[in-house]
Amino acid sequence: MAQQPTHSQVLMDEFSKRTHLSTPGAPKRYLWTDAFAVCNFLALHKNDAALALIRQVHHVLGKHRSDDSRSGWISGKSEEEGAAHPTVGGLRIGKPLRERAQFERSDPELEWEQDGQYLHYLTRWIHALDQTARATHDPVLLQWAFELADAAFSSFFHTHGQSDNEKALYWKMSIDLNYPLVLSMGHHDAMDALITFKHLQATAAVRFPGQQFIDLSSQISKLAAICDQMQAHPHHN
């Protein structure tokens, strides 16, 4: 007698169909949801589905929107090089509307529906790649996670204050990571990135000893400094 699928399996099957991961049609990708979906597939021992979703996310959210005058990988790399390093330019959020232009006036309500890149979405995807690398023993997936961590930190991190001694992270960046869209800092972004980056380093050391990955020690130190700064001045953002 065939075993009935669990509620979790039914939900993920419906998700795959609805977002066109397993059915024909234009993929409907959203980075936050997809990061959790990858982990769900891994928990259900559906590694092939997790890998298929990762590939689709990279080829959709790692490239410019269909309604953008730009095309190809948002990193600016060639089709072949971009496919080999799909996360070096970050990944789009997947919002329904195009991003706000650099000098266009911000509409706080509209901003929620406009595309760009969020650090806390990128760290969720880094975690998903980390978990998939552990499950599949594939170092390339971990390399993509490290490359995304490096690209994200380089773009979102900045200093300010009279002597540039205050460290911070932008809330939202443009699709190409060239300019900030929201200047304020999320209350949990630094801690989230700190934990995610340290977990990456641990995965590399424990699961892939002897292999070379990007050293995130400097980034981790600066993230820790932001966390200390926020603890010392909890109402200052």
Side-chain angles (χ1 to χ4, degrees):
M1 183 177 179
Q3 186 176 3
Q4 291 296 314
T6 65
H7 184 57
S8 298
Q9 291 171 330
V10 171
L11 284 175
M12 294 312 296
D13 286 344
E14 291 176 351
F15 167 83
S16 297
K17 294 173 183 176
R18 185 175 67 253
T19 63
H20 300 297
L21 177 63
S22 63
T23 56
K28 297 179 179 179
R29 303 271 55 95
Y30 191 73
L31 191 59
W32 180 263
T33 309
D34 290 338
F36 286 98
V38 167
C39 295
N40 285 351
F41 283 133
L42 295 176
L44 293 170
H45 304 289
K46 293 190 173 185
N47 291 2
D48 288 346
L51 292 169
L53 180 53
I54 288 172
R55 173 176 172 79
Q56 194 175 91
V57 165
H58 288 169
H59 281 262
V60 174
L61 300 181
K63 293 185 175 184
H64 286 290
R65 299 167 55 97
S66 60
D67 58 359
D68 198 314
S69 60
R70 301 165 293 184
S71 62
W73 295 96
I74 58 179
S75 62
K77 295 188 177 296
S78 67
E79 182 61 33
E80 183 178 359
E81 191 174 1
H85 301 277
T87 61
V88 293
L91 296 166
R92 292 190 292 108
I93 300 166
K95 295 285 189 180
L97 302 180
R98 292 177 61 180
E99 68 183 342
R100 176 168 51 86
Q102 184 171 6
F103 300 109
E104 183 181 348
R105 178 176 294 181
S106 173
D107 181 328
E109 295 299 322
L110 193 61
E111 190 67 54
W112 290 106
E113 303 301 322
Q114 293 176 309
D115 219 347
Q117 295 201 38
Y118 285 144
L119 179 60
H120 59 292
Y121 280 36
L122 297 179
T123 53
R124 286 306 88 213
W125 192 251
I126 292 167
H127 173 75
L129 290 174
D130 183 343
Q131 293 301 297
T132 312
R134 284 172 171 256
T136 62
H137 309 287
D138 187 347
V140 173
L141 293 165
L142 197 65
Q143 174 189 324
W144 291 345
F146 271 95
E147 289 176 346
L148 182 54
D150 186 47
F153 183 86
S154 298
S155 301
F156 283 83
F157 176 81
H158 64 102
T159 58
H160 59 96
Q162 292 183 344
S163 58
D164 278 346
N165 59 346
E166 293 187 40
K167 301 174 177 62
L169 300 163
Y170 292 121
W171 170 259
K172 185 180 183 182
M173 291 291 295
S174 62
I175 285 174
D176 58 12
L177 295 176
N178 282 337
Y179 58 91
L181 288 169
V182 179
L183 302 180
S184 59
M185 180 168 61
H187 292 297
H188 303 111
D189 281 8
M191 180 65 73
D192 185 17
L194 175 63
I195 294 171
T196 303
F197 287 14
K198 287 176 74 71
H199 200 277
L200 266 188
Q201 299 274 64
T203 298
V206 174
R207 297 299 182 92
F208 302 96
Q211 298 201 37
Q212 296 296 314
F213 296 99
I214 296 171
D215 184 5
L216 298 176
S217 299
S218 175
Q219 293 90 325
I220 288 171
S221 176
K222 291 174 182 175
L223 288 168
I226 295 176
C227 291
D228 291 341
Q229 177 182 295
M230 293 182 72
Q231 185 176 19
H233 306 283
H235 301 295
H236 179 65
N237 185 357

